Each structure stands twice: as C-alpha cells, then as structure tokens.
Amino acid sequence: MAAPTTPAEIGGIGHSVQRKEDARLIEGQGNFLDDIDLPNTLHMAILRSPLAHARINGIDSEAATALDGVVAVVTGDLMDQHGLAWMPTLSGDTQAVLATDKVRYQGQEVAAVIATDPYIATDALELIEVDYEDLPPITTPQQSLEEGAPLIRDEKEGQTDNLAYTWEAGDQGATEEAFAKADRVVTLETHYPRSHPAPLETCGIVADVNSVTGQATIYMTSQAPHAHRTLFAMVAGLPEQNIRIVSPDIGGGFGNKVPIYPGYVVATAASLLIGQPVKWVESRTENLISTGFARDYYMKGELAVTDEGRILGLRVNMLSVQGAFYSDAQPTQFRAGLFHVVTGSYDFGAAHIDCKGAFTNKAPGGVAYRCSFRITEASYLIERLVQNAAYEVGIDPAEMRLRNFIQPEQFPYETATGFVYDSGDYPTALRTALDELCYEDLRREQAEARAEGRLIGIGIAHFTEAVGAGPSRTYDIAGLKMIDSAELRVHPTGKAILKLGVKTQGQGHETTFAQIVAEVLGIPATDIKVEHGDTDHTPYGLGTYASRSTPVGGAATAVVARKLADKSKKIAAHLLEAADEDIELASGVFSVAGSPDRSVTIQDVALAAYTNLPEGMEYGLEDVTYYDPPNLTYPYGSYIVVVEVDPDTGVWQVQRMVALDDCGVRINPMIVEGQICGGLTEGFAMSAMQWITFDEGGNCIGANFMDYLVPTAWETPRFELLATEVPSPHHPIGAKGVGESATVGSPAAFVNAVIDAVAHLGVRNIDMPVLPDRVWAAIEEAS
Amino acid sequence: MEVNITINGSDHASDVEPRTLLVDHIRRTVGLTGTHVGCDTTSCGACTVLMDGKPVKACTVLAAQADGSEVTTVEGLKGADGLHPVQQAFTDDHGLQCGFCTPGMMLVGASLIAENPDPSDDDVRWAISGNLCRCTGYINIVKAIRTAAARVAESSIGS
C-alpha cells in the first residue's frame, strides 16, 4: 500500500482519519427522517392488499373517514382525478400509485389514511372495506411465461403476455463456435433467490407543500436526491425550482432507497391538497413486502472448457423475476443491469447471454442490493461455474483460476461482452490470499479430515466488479446522464465547504471527501465541511448507489480541488513575486522552486483570494466540476472461505474467511475495511439465511425480522482482511470504489466452500440460501 | 393515564393513552429522538433503552409499564466529565457507519460492562445478539465494547 503523502494533521489520502459523522451519531443527535417534526404535521398510513392478485370491485372508506382524528382517506380514484393513480418507473414501465383496477401483489398500496396521529391513522386502516374478487396468483416466472397464463398487466396497452423484457449480450455465433471446440461443457442451473436490502431504517417521507407559494420541501430517505427532484417534477408536474429534496441522515440504503415509491407520491399529493406537512414512515413489514427487492434470477450457465482446464466460452440463459411492475433501478440501456461482467476475471473469447424478464404477482422494484446493477448475480454464476469446471476437469479450483486469469499485462482488457477492464493483477491477489491460508496444507487437512468422516470445504471466489456508472455516452437513468459533481468554496480564513451531488448513507463521505480536498490543497480535513443531500444547496448529481460515489463524485472532488490549486498557485506567485510556473504545492505550502525558504500557505492564499489578487484576476476561491467518467472502474478481490459441514445435520460453520480486496487507492483505510466487513456479512447473509419467498397463494414469507433472517453478531463469521493496490489508471486519484465489493464477491465463496465439502460425493449445486436441510438433502441424495 | 418516568435523570410526568409504546413516548412526548425504531417485532434492537439499568426494547414496552422506573437513553450516556467510554470507543474503533443501530448497541455495551468488566469476544457477541446492524459486520462494534471495558477497568485500577 502506498504511504500517505500528507502529514497526519492534514489527513489527506491514506490516513485512517476518524469520522466527522460520529460526533452527532454517538450522542443521539443524528437527524433521521422520522426525527423531523414540523408544526401541524399529519401522519399517513397505507392500506395494503392482503391478496397477490385480485380485482377491486369497490372500496368503502366511509367509516374510516368518520373516525375522530382522520383528515382524509385517499384512494386510487382520488389520485386518478389528479392524474396520479399511476407513475412511471425507472425502467420505462408504469406502476400503480394506489390500485384502481386490481391488485397485483400482496402488499400493494390500495388506500391511504391521513390523520392527526399515527396511531389513529393505523386504526382507520381497519375500518376501510375493500371488495376483492380473487384472481389466480402467479408466483414463478415459469408459470408466468406459460402459454395461456393469466395476464397480470391487462391494463397495459399492447401487452398480451407476461413478458416484461428480453435482453441479450455477447456474440452468439462466436460462442457456438467456442462450444464446438470444447472437450466438455460444464453446466450449472441455480436460483439466486429474492433478497431484500433491509436497511435498519425503513423508507419514509415528510412532504411539506406550501399551498400559497407552491414551494414543496420534501424530506425523504433518498440515495439520489437530485434525480428524485427531477423525477418529482416530471411525475407530479411541479415546477422544479419549487421542489427542494432534503435527504437527512440515512440509516443505511443498500439500494433500497433509490426508487420512488407510491407512498412518497401519495404523501406529497396529500400535503399539496390539505396544505399541511404529511409524514409517512414505513413499518418493517411494509419495507420487506413492498419496496425494492433484489436478485430473483433463475440462471443456467454453461462453460466450454478443454481437458487442460482452459475456458473457451460461456453461455448463459436467465429468467428474471420482475414482480408486477418492471421498476428495476438501473441504467436505461442495461435491462438486466451490468450482467455483462459475468465473464469474470478470465481471459476467453466468446460469451453469449440471453435474458427474459417475467411479470409475476410479487412486489416490484428489482434494485441493486449493495451491488452495481445486478453484477452480484453475474459474479456468483461465473465463480460457481469455474469451481465446478475444476471438479469436472480434475484440477484444483485455485489452479483452474490461475490458468485462466486475465494477466496484468493484458490491461486494459476488453471482455467478450464488451467491457474494458481498467487495471488489475489477479494472479498476485489470489496467490496472496492462498498463501495467507497456507492453502496446500489446508487441502491436506481436508483430505485427512475426509478420511475420518469429517467434511471440510474450501471455497474460492475471485470476483471482478464493474462500478462507478458511468460514462455519459452509455449511461443514463430515465434519460439523466450519470455524471456527478462537486462544488468547493475556500473561505478567507482558509477553511472550506465542499458540496456534493452524491449522498452518504453511512459510507463516511463527510470524512473521506474532505480527505480528497486535503490531499490536493493541504487544507486539514478537519477544516473542510462536507454538505450533501439538500438539492437547494448542492450541485446536481445522480446519487449514491452502484459504488459510484468515489469513482464519480470523488473524481469530481479531486478535479475541482485541482482547479482551485491552479488558481491558488497564481495567487501564491503574486504573493511571492515569482513566476506562476515556479510555484510548487505540497501539503498546503506553496514554495518557489529552488528557494524553499520563500513560501506561503494555503491559508495565506485563501485570504489573498478575497483581499490581494494579481491584476485582472476574479475574486474568490471557489469552483464547481461536473465529472463524466471515461470508463467504469473495476475493483476485484480474492475471497477464500473454509467451512466444516456436519454430515448428520447439514449445519455448516465458517472456520476461516480470508478476503483480499483491491479497490485501487484507499482514501481512508479504516473506512474501507469497515465497508468490506459489512459487505462480507451481507454476502454471508445471502448465502446462509436471507430469503424472501412466497407460498403458492403469493403470500410473502419473510415479512418481518422473525421470518426474514438477517445475521446477528452471533452467526456472523470473523474475517481476515488483506489488500493489494493497483490504481485505476483513469480515475484522478486512482480509486475504484469499494462499498459493494464484498457483497458481490463473497456469496460464491461461501457457497463454493459448502459445495467443496461435499463435492467428492458428486454434489455440484445447492441453491442459496444454503440452509442445513438443503445440505443434508444434497448429501443424502448423493450418497 | 398518568405515567411518571425518570428519563436521563429528569422526571417526566405525562398523560398518555394506555396503549402508548415506551419508544413513542420517548420520541414523541419527551422529544428525545436518539432512540430509533427499526422493526415492529422486538427483533432489531434499534429502540433499546436501559430501564432500571437493564436493556429493554422500547417498542415492546408500554409507557405504562415503565411508570416509576428510571430510563436511560443514548442522550443520557454522556456524563459530566464527557463521553461515556462506550461512546468514545465506538468512534475510536469505527464501530458505526450509518449510526442507526448505534444508540441501542452502545446502551447494551454500557450495560454489559457494568455487569462484566472483562467481557470476551463471545460475551459481547452474545450480549448484542438482540441488536441488528446492517453496515459493520459487528466486528468493530465488538472491538469498541471491549475497548471501552478495558479503558473502564484501567481507569478504576488507576483510581
């Protein structure tokens, strides 16, 4: 790892600076959505469908309206009168705000009560009578795409079946040729189950529309406040200058807080019509059954390999389970997200992916749960396939990867699906992780244990991510280009404020982005305030998800700081009576080349920017940059998990987990490691327990934290972290982004470890979550 | 109904609906918003407060049940001489990211240290196993609580 270039008191890149955010959060002084308490606030509760598929014949809200304390009951018909019963989704579909014709999933929004007290609002829900007429629910994509299946989207013009979209990538002809040359084809069919990001804070809104001025101040749990402002303007027809989105402290997002949900639209409309602030905060059950789910891909992968273990090609067929509305939050041109990255870390020439998305009677909103647009599914598939291919060819899974890796000298490397990987040294990463575990000794121990009847498994995943969307030529969401921004103002006393288009949800932007400025200008990070989340006070940007804050917003920050450094050098030259080109800047000190005793500080320069300028220069020391990244960044890592499986019960325990990450330059190593540990835990969670499933009637199983199991401290394994550092060649500070790497890379490592423990019995697949009964059944079936 | 609860050393007498949850009473009536709500099923622990020194999940305690008790919330952790050792250790050891679970985690940690001055890694993990965190993977939370315990032990030896 490169040593920091600034002293600790400046706290530039590479220092584990303590977080600025902590002071308020450890004293209970954070300002989360539900903490916002405006005068005269009304409270909203939503009535949701108990059925997965039913026609609505009528809604009787008389008794609810009559309840003392109820101000209004909002139904789909009322929303329809204002043209707001339906709204566009981020994927170009439409979604019901409040159901008018039928309900299409359990938990769908049917009516809303606005009351003076949240308890009363909830009481009133009980008094609303809805006349439902049952329709047959469709819970699997296989049923959904059958000929003659009941039409879920009967309201949609031109829709005659339940197909939501089709998508393909790669070269089918070249892939067929590669398969024709293969000695063997290794096939894996697996389901990446539906999961939910479940941030600890649920979603919510306080809509405050002033009926006189038309000013709409909307406090919202938003990962993308600027994009949401524009979309609100487009959906609700409000003038954009009158909309101010404020995203306060956010209690975790992980993709869940990217979409616009019906509750936001209803609360805003209610505030507009009633003329008082309206607050809506989801219950946990509402969060789990109705807001952005993740994953739910049925995948069939085939790998063409030679007897020497060389990969020649990859073929993938997928069925994506969309729910009732196609409302994935992802770039317009990427209907199945960035699944292209399914070619992984390997050098082969041909791949073809074919994907169908199917409507079902399940909640919509396929979000990227702590990953960059569904690359978790892609990474999982290739890493599971490579492991299985090693078993079939008869070579070690580590050796299989080493034989097929893209080599360091091949970067920039164009994959068979057209991504151009920026940099990496995969063999060093894997070998370092293997050495840490004494891999060969471990394999010996595994064989000895097996002879004693004990099942030890070693699972590897060497993932490559594609993050930091993205270049404007390719990437937009709902037409908005995926650029991001930073505005930097240095005050006369040399303190600064940095304003960002991205928005933290716990990642520590208030600390790390200040460190980027500290690195460039030498202003101590503690002297730099970072502002974000308020659209009236920050420049435009598409927000924080897909690990894009550092790759895009961080790049904007470095560039704007460099612009100010250039101006500062001219001011310093003026103060030092030297030529501009002779001024050197290091850690906040401007000196004259060759005369190091002649110097001024950034603080001197800041004051001069407002008091003493060279002839003709404009006053002030501030600027704004909009950054359009030239490419995505491609973080990677080698994760290895060791498990022991109890052959009698199928219970598996993680013995060791070594995680090597290369995310390029690390701005704050402490924060990076914190993010990796969190991501590994979520990867473990998906492998071992997290699971949103449905019964045949379309009832959601997993509607609370007793049924949807997220790991506690007791189940969570211990992790051993390692690092290499190959900078991104195109990012201004060489950083690649890291928040999601561990969630992307680790599920395959955990599952591969369990499979490896029973692979000698012939087991090649156990679907996630790898529950003990599934392991036990796989062992029974194999033996 | 009338309830009298001492919250962070101050007496609060209020007239509440019998069904009022303690967490809603603390947040809405008393106005202390550091105690959070993350679920409705006693599962996540974001609403943890200390009631007569013991951690309880305030979403599943009625304000009426807390009548006559002493409640400590995150706002009451800090003492006259500064941050509670658990608060200091959480920031020193990067024991928080989004900060939503942090009040509950710190209160459980403070309660654990009061009972067990030298908790093992497993002791801490067991103690916080009723509190969920989605950001940290718990490693630094465990570390922070043990750091706080060590500092408390060290200062009591010193005095």
Coordinates of all heavy atoms in Angstrom, one line a residue, chain A residues 608-668:
Chain A
A608 N -5.8 36.0 0.5 CA -5.4 36.9 -0.6 C -6.5 36.8 -1.7 O -6.7 37.7 -2.4 CB -4.0 36.5 -1.1
A609 N -7.1 35.6 -1.8 CA -8.1 35.4 -2.9 C -9.3 36.4 -2.7 O -10.1 36.7 -3.6 CB -8.7 34.0 -2.9
Y610 N -9.4 36.9 -1.5 CA -10.5 37.9 -1.2 C -10.0 39.3 -0.9 O -10.8 40.2 -0.6 CB -11.4 37.4 0.0 CG -12.0 36.1 -0.3 CD1 -11.4 34.9 0.0 CD2 -13.3 36.0 -0.9 CE1 -12.0 33.7 -0.3 CE2 -13.9 34.8 -1.2 CZ -13.2 33.6 -0.9 OH -13.8 32.4 -1.2
T611 N -8.7 39.5 -0.9 CA -8.1 40.7 -0.4 C -7.0 41.3 -1.3 O -6.7 42.5 -1.4 CB -7.5 40.6 1.0 OG1 -6.5 39.6 1.0 CG2 -8.6 40.3 2.0
N612 N -6.2 40.4 -2.0 CA -5.0 40.8 -2.6 C -4.7 40.0 -3.8 O -3.9 39.0 -3.7 CB -3.9 40.8 -1.5 CG -2.5 41.1 -2.2 OD1 -2.4 41.6 -3.3 ND2 -1.4 40.8 -1.4
L613 N -5.2 40.3 -5.0 CA -5.1 39.5 -6.1 C -4.2 40.0 -7.2 O -3.9 41.2 -7.2 CB -6.5 39.4 -6.8 CG -7.6 38.5 -6.1 CD1 -8.9 38.6 -6.9 CD2 -7.1 37.1 -6.1
P614 N -3.7 39.1 -8.0 CA -2.9 39.6 -9.2 C -3.9 40.4 -10.1 O -5.1 40.2 -10.1 CB -2.5 38.4 -9.9 CG -2.9 37.2 -9.1 CD -3.7 37.7 -8.0
E615 N -3.3 41.4 -10.8 CA -4.0 42.2 -11.8 C -4.9 41.3 -12.7 O -4.5 40.4 -13.3 CB -3.0 43.0 -12.6 CG -3.5 44.1 -13.5 CD -4.0 45.3 -12.7 OE1 -3.4 45.5 -11.6 OE2 -5.0 45.9 -13.1
G616 N -6.2 41.7 -12.7 CA -7.1 41.1 -13.7 C -7.7 39.8 -13.2 O -8.6 39.2 -13.9
M617 N -7.4 39.3 -12.1 CA -7.9 38.0 -11.6 C -9.3 38.3 -10.9 O -9.4 39.2 -10.2 CB -7.0 37.3 -10.7 CG -7.4 35.9 -10.2 SD -6.3 35.1 -9.1 CE -5.1 34.4 -10.2
E618 N -10.2 37.3 -11.1 CA -11.5 37.5 -10.4 C -11.4 37.1 -8.9 O -10.6 36.1 -8.6 CB -12.5 36.6 -11.1 CG -13.9 36.8 -10.7 CD -14.9 35.9 -11.5 OE1 -14.6 35.5 -12.7 OE2 -16.0 35.6 -11.0
Y619 N -12.1 37.8 -8.1 CA -12.1 37.5 -6.6 C -12.6 36.1 -6.3 O -13.4 35.5 -7.1 CB -12.8 38.5 -5.8 CG -12.0 39.8 -5.6 CD1 -12.0 40.9 -6.4 CD2 -11.1 39.8 -4.5 CE1 -11.3 42.0 -6.2 CE2 -10.3 40.9 -4.2 CZ -10.4 42.0 -5.1 OH -9.6 43.1 -4.9
G620 N -12.3 35.6 -5.2 CA -12.9 34.3 -4.7 C -12.0 33.1 -4.9 O -11.1 33.2 -5.8
L621 N -12.3 32.1 -4.2 CA -11.6 30.8 -4.4 C -12.6 29.7 -4.3 O -12.8 29.0 -3.3 CB -10.5 30.6 -3.3 CG -9.5 29.5 -3.6 CD1 -8.8 29.6 -4.9 CD2 -8.4 29.5 -2.5
E622 N -13.3 29.5 -5.4 CA -14.4 28.5 -5.4 C -14.6 28.1 -6.9 O -14.4 28.8 -7.8 CB -15.7 29.0 -4.8 CG -16.4 30.1 -5.5 CD -17.7 30.5 -4.8 OE1 -17.6 31.1 -3.7 OE2 -18.7 30.1 -5.3
D623 N -15.1 26.9 -7.0 CA -15.4 26.4 -8.4 C -16.4 25.2 -8.2 O -16.6 24.7 -7.1 CB -14.1 26.0 -9.1 CG -14.2 26.3 -10.6 OD1 -15.3 26.2 -11.2 OD2 -13.2 26.7 -11.2
V624 N -16.8 24.7 -9.4 CA -17.7 23.5 -9.4 C -17.3 22.7 -10.6 O -16.8 23.2 -11.6 CB -19.2 23.9 -9.5 CG1 -19.5 24.7 -10.8 CG2 -20.1 22.7 -9.5
T625 N -17.3 21.4 -10.4 CA -16.9 20.5 -11.5 C -18.0 19.4 -11.7 O -18.5 18.8 -10.7 CB -15.6 19.7 -11.2 OG1 -14.5 20.7 -11.4 CG2 -15.4 18.6 -12.1
Y626 N -18.4 19.2 -12.9 CA -19.2 18.0 -13.3 C -18.4 17.0 -13.9 O -17.7 17.3 -15.0 CB -20.4 18.5 -14.2 CG -21.5 19.2 -13.4 CD1 -21.3 20.5 -13.0 CD2 -22.6 18.5 -13.0 CE1 -22.3 21.1 -12.2 CE2 -23.6 19.1 -12.2 CZ -23.4 20.4 -11.9 OH -24.4 21.0 -11.1
Y627 N -18.3 15.8 -13.4 CA -17.4 14.8 -13.9 C -18.1 13.7 -14.7 O -19.1 13.1 -14.2 CB -16.7 14.1 -12.7 CG -15.5 13.2 -13.1 CD1 -14.3 13.8 -13.5 CD2 -15.7 11.9 -13.2 CE1 -13.2 13.0 -13.9 CE2 -14.6 11.0 -13.6 CZ -13.4 11.6 -13.9 OH -12.4 10.8 -14.4
D628 N -17.6 13.5 -15.9 CA -18.2 12.5 -16.7 C -17.1 11.4 -16.9 O -16.1 11.6 -17.6 CB -18.5 13.1 -18.1 CG -19.1 12.1 -19.1 OD1 -19.3 10.9 -18.7 OD2 -19.2 12.5 -20.3
P629 N -17.2 10.3 -16.2 CA -16.1 9.3 -16.2 C -15.8 8.7 -17.6 O -16.8 8.5 -18.3 CB -16.6 8.3 -15.2 CG -18.1 8.4 -15.1 CD -18.4 9.9 -15.4
P630 N -14.6 8.6 -17.9 CA -14.3 8.0 -19.2 C -14.6 6.5 -19.3 O -14.7 5.9 -20.4 CB -12.8 8.2 -19.4 CG -12.2 8.4 -18.0 CD -13.4 9.0 -17.2
N631 N -14.7 5.8 -18.2 CA -14.9 4.4 -18.2 C -15.4 4.0 -16.8 O -15.4 4.8 -15.9 CB -13.6 3.6 -18.4 CG -13.7 2.1 -18.6 OD1 -14.9 1.6 -18.7 ND2 -12.6 1.4 -18.7
L632 N -16.0 2.8 -16.6 CA -16.2 2.3 -15.3 C -14.9 2.0 -14.6 O -13.9 1.9 -15.3 CB -17.1 1.0 -15.4 CG -18.4 1.2 -16.1 CD1 -19.1 -0.2 -16.2 CD2 -19.3 2.2 -15.4
T633 N -15.0 1.7 -13.3 CA -13.8 1.2 -12.6 C -14.1 -0.3 -12.3 O -15.2 -0.7 -12.2 CB -13.4 1.9 -11.4 OG1 -14.6 1.9 -10.5 CG2 -13.0 3.4 -11.7
Y634 N -13.0 -1.0 -12.1 CA -13.2 -2.5 -12.0 C -12.4 -3.0 -10.8 O -11.3 -3.6 -10.9 CB -12.7 -3.2 -13.3 CG -13.6 -2.8 -14.5 CD1 -13.3 -1.7 -15.2 CD2 -14.7 -3.6 -14.8 CE1 -14.1 -1.4 -16.3 CE2 -15.5 -3.3 -15.9 CZ -15.2 -2.2 -16.6 OH -16.1 -1.8 -17.7
P635 N -13.0 -2.8 -9.6 CA -12.4 -3.4 -8.4 C -12.4 -4.9 -8.4 O -13.3 -5.5 -9.2 CB -13.3 -2.9 -7.2 CG -14.2 -1.9 -7.8 CD -14.3 -2.2 -9.3
Y636 N -11.6 -5.6 -7.7 CA -11.6 -7.0 -7.7 C -11.1 -7.6 -6.4 O -10.6 -6.8 -5.5 CB -10.8 -7.6 -8.9 CG -9.3 -7.2 -8.8 CD1 -8.4 -8.0 -8.2 CD2 -8.9 -6.0 -9.4 CE1 -7.0 -7.7 -8.1 CE2 -7.6 -5.6 -9.3 CZ -6.6 -6.5 -8.7 OH -5.3 -6.1 -8.6
G637 N -11.2 -8.9 -6.2 CA -10.7 -9.4 -5.0 C -10.7 -10.9 -5.0 O -11.3 -11.6 -5.9
S638 N -9.9 -11.5 -4.1 CA -9.9 -13.0 -3.9 C -10.4 -13.3 -2.5 O -9.8 -12.9 -1.5 CB -8.4 -13.5 -4.1 OG -8.1 -13.7 -5.4
Y639 N -11.5 -14.0 -2.5 CA -12.0 -14.4 -1.2 C -11.9 -15.9 -1.1 O -12.3 -16.7 -2.0 CB -13.5 -14.0 -1.1 CG -13.8 -12.5 -1.1 CD1 -15.1 -12.0 -1.3 CD2 -12.7 -11.6 -0.9 CE1 -15.3 -10.6 -1.2 CE2 -13.0 -10.2 -0.9 CZ -14.3 -9.7 -1.0 OH -14.5 -8.4 -1.0
I640 N -11.5 -16.4 0.1 CA -11.5 -17.8 0.4 C -12.1 -18.1 1.7 O -11.8 -17.5 2.7 CB -10.0 -18.3 0.4 CG1 -9.3 -17.8 -0.9 CG2 -10.0 -19.9 0.4 CD1 -7.8 -18.2 -1.0
V641 N -13.0 -19.1 1.7 CA -13.8 -19.5 2.9 C -13.5 -20.9 3.2 O -13.4 -21.8 2.3 CB -15.3 -19.3 2.6 CG1 -16.1 -19.9 3.8 CG2 -15.6 -17.8 2.4
V642 N -13.3 -21.2 4.5 CA -13.1 -22.6 4.9 C -14.3 -22.9 5.8 O -14.6 -22.2 6.8 CB -11.8 -22.8 5.7 CG1 -11.6 -24.3 6.1 CG2 -10.6 -22.3 4.9
V643 N -15.0 -24.0 5.5 CA -16.1 -24.4 6.3 C -16.0 -25.8 6.8 O -15.2 -26.6 6.2 CB -17.5 -24.3 5.6 CG1 -17.8 -22.9 5.1 CG2 -17.6 -25.2 4.4
E644 N -16.7 -26.1 7.9 CA -16.9 -27.5 8.2 C -18.4 -27.8 8.2 O -19.2 -27.1 8.8 CB -16.3 -27.9 9.6 CG -16.5 -29.3 10.0 CD -15.5 -30.0 10.9 OE1 -14.7 -29.2 11.4 OE2 -15.7 -31.2 11.2
V645 N -18.7 -28.9 7.5 CA -20.1 -29.3 7.4 C -20.4 -30.5 8.3 O -19.6 -31.5 8.3 CB -20.5 -29.6 5.9 CG1 -21.9 -30.1 5.8 CG2 -20.2 -28.5 5.0
D646 N -21.4 -30.4 9.1 CA -21.8 -31.6 9.9 C -22.6 -32.6 9.0 O -23.7 -32.2 8.6 CB -22.7 -31.1 11.1 CG -23.1 -32.3 12.0 OD1 -23.1 -33.5 11.5 OD2 -23.3 -32.0 13.2
P647 N -22.0 -33.8 8.7 CA -22.7 -34.7 7.8 C -24.1 -35.2 8.3 O -24.9 -35.5 7.5 CB -21.7 -35.8 7.6 CG -20.8 -35.7 8.7 CD -20.8 -34.3 9.2
D648 N -24.3 -35.1 9.6 CA -25.5 -35.6 10.1 C -26.7 -34.6 10.1 O -27.8 -35.0 10.1 CB -25.3 -36.1 11.6 CG -24.3 -37.3 11.6 OD1 -24.4 -38.1 10.7 OD2 -23.5 -37.3 12.6
T649 N -26.3 -33.3 10.1 CA -27.4 -32.3 10.2 C -27.3 -31.3 9.0 O -28.3 -30.6 8.8 CB -27.2 -31.5 11.5 OG1 -25.9 -30.8 11.4 CG2 -27.2 -32.3 12.7
G650 N -26.2 -31.3 8.3 CA -26.1 -30.3 7.2 C -25.7 -28.9 7.7 O -25.6 -28.0 6.9
V651 N -25.6 -28.8 9.0 CA -25.2 -27.4 9.5 C -23.7 -27.2 9.2 O -22.9 -28.1 9.3 CB -25.3 -27.4 11.1 CG1 -24.7 -26.2 11.7 CG2 -26.8 -27.5 11.4
W652 N -23.4 -26.0 8.7 CA -22.1 -25.6 8.3 C -21.6 -24.4 9.1 O -22.4 -23.5 9.4 CB -21.9 -25.4 6.8 CG -22.8 -24.5 6.2 CD1 -24.1 -24.7 5.8 CD2 -22.6 -23.1 5.8 NE1 -24.7 -23.6 5.2 CE2 -23.8 -22.6 5.2 CE3 -21.5 -22.3 5.9 CZ2 -23.9 -21.3 4.6 CZ3 -21.6 -21.0 5.3 CH2 -22.7 -20.5 4.8
Q653 N -20.3 -24.4 9.5 CA -19.7 -23.3 10.2 C -18.5 -22.8 9.5 O -17.7 -23.6 8.9 CB -19.2 -23.9 11.6 CG -20.3 -24.4 12.5 CD -21.1 -23.3 13.2 OE1 -20.7 -22.1 13.2 NE2 -22.2 -23.6 13.8
V654 N -18.4 -21.5 9.4 CA -17.2 -20.9 8.8 C -16.0 -21.0 9.8 O -16.1 -20.6 10.9 CB -17.5 -19.4 8.4 CG1 -16.2 -18.8 7.9 CG2 -18.6 -19.4 7.4
Q655 N -15.0 -21.7 9.3 CA -13.8 -21.8 10.1 C -12.9 -20.6 9.9 O -12.3 -20.0 10.8 CB -13.0 -23.1 9.8 CG -13.8 -24.3 9.8 CD -14.2 -24.7 11.2 OE1 -13.5 -24.6 12.1 NE2 -15.5 -25.2 11.3
R656 N -12.7 -20.2 8.6 CA -11.9 -19.0 8.3 C -12.5 -18.3 7.1 O -13.1 -19.0 6.3 CB -10.4 -19.4 8.1 CG -9.7 -19.8 9.3 CD -8.2 -20.0 9.0 NE -7.5 -18.8 8.8 CZ -6.2 -18.7 8.4 NH1 -5.5 -19.8 8.3 NH2 -5.6 -17.6 8.2
M657 N -12.2 -17.0 7.0 CA -12.7 -16.3 5.8 C -11.6 -15.3 5.6 O -11.4 -14.4 6.4 CB -14.0 -15.6 6.1 CG -14.8 -15.1 4.9 SD -14.1 -14.1 3.7 CE -15.4 -14.1 2.4
V658 N -10.8 -15.5 4.5 CA -9.8 -14.5 4.1 C -10.3 -13.7 2.9 O -10.7 -14.3 1.9 CB -8.5 -15.3 3.7 CG1 -7.5 -14.3 3.1 CG2 -7.8 -15.9 5.0
A659 N -10.2 -12.4 3.0 CA -10.8 -11.6 2.0 C -9.7 -10.6 1.6 O -9.3 -9.7 2.3 CB -12.0 -10.8 2.5
L660 N -9.2 -10.7 0.3 CA -8.3 -9.8 -0.2 C -9.1 -8.9 -1.2 O -9.7 -9.4 -2.1 CB -7.1 -10.5 -1.0 CG -6.1 -9.5 -1.6 CD1 -4.7 -10.1 -1.5 CD2 -6.4 -9.1 -3.0
D661 N -9.0 -7.6 -1.0 CA -9.7 -6.6 -1.9 C -8.6 -5.7 -2.5 O -7.7 -5.2 -1.9 CB -10.7 -5.8 -1.1 CG -12.0 -6.5 -1.0 OD1 -12.8 -6.3 -1.9 OD2 -12.2 -7.2 0.0
D662 N -8.8 -5.5 -3.8 CA -8.1 -4.4 -4.5 C -9.1 -3.4 -5.1 O -9.7 -3.7 -6.1 CB -7.2 -5.0 -5.6 CG -6.2 -4.0 -6.1 OD1 -6.6 -2.8 -6.2 OD2 -5.0 -4.3 -6.3
C663 N -9.2 -2.3 -4.4 CA -10.1 -1.3 -4.8 C -9.4 -0.1 -5.3 O -9.8 1.1 -5.2 CB -11.1 -0.9 -3.7 SG -10.3 -0.4 -2.2
G664 N -8.1 -0.3 -5.7 CA -7.3 0.8 -6.1 C -6.8 1.6 -4.9 O -6.7 1.0 -3.8
V665 N -6.6 2.9 -5.1 CA -6.2 3.7 -3.9 C -7.2 3.8 -2.9 O -8.4 4.0 -3.1 CB -5.8 5.1 -4.5 CG1 -5.5 6.1 -3.3 CG2 -4.6 5.0 -5.4
R666 N -6.8 3.6 -1.6 CA -7.7 3.7 -0.5 C -7.7 5.1 0.2 O -6.6 5.4 0.7 CB -7.4 2.6 0.6 CG -7.6 1.2 0.0 CD -7.3 0.1 1.0 NE -7.7 -1.2 0.4 CZ -8.1 -2.3 1.0 NH1 -8.1 -2.2 2.3 NH2 -8.4 -3.4 0.4
I667 N -8.7 5.8 0.2 CA -8.7 7.1 0.8 C -8.6 7.1 2.3 O -7.8 7.8 2.9 CB -10.0 7.9 0.4 CG1 -10.1 8.0 -1.2 CG2 -10.1 9.3 1.0 CD1 -11.5 8.4 -1.7
N668 N -9.4 6.2 2.9 CA -9.4 6.1 4.3 C -9.4 4.6 4.6 O -10.5 4.0 4.6 CB -10.6 6.8 5.0 CG -10.6 6.7 6.5 OD1 -10.2 5.7 7.1 ND2 -10.9 7.9 7.1

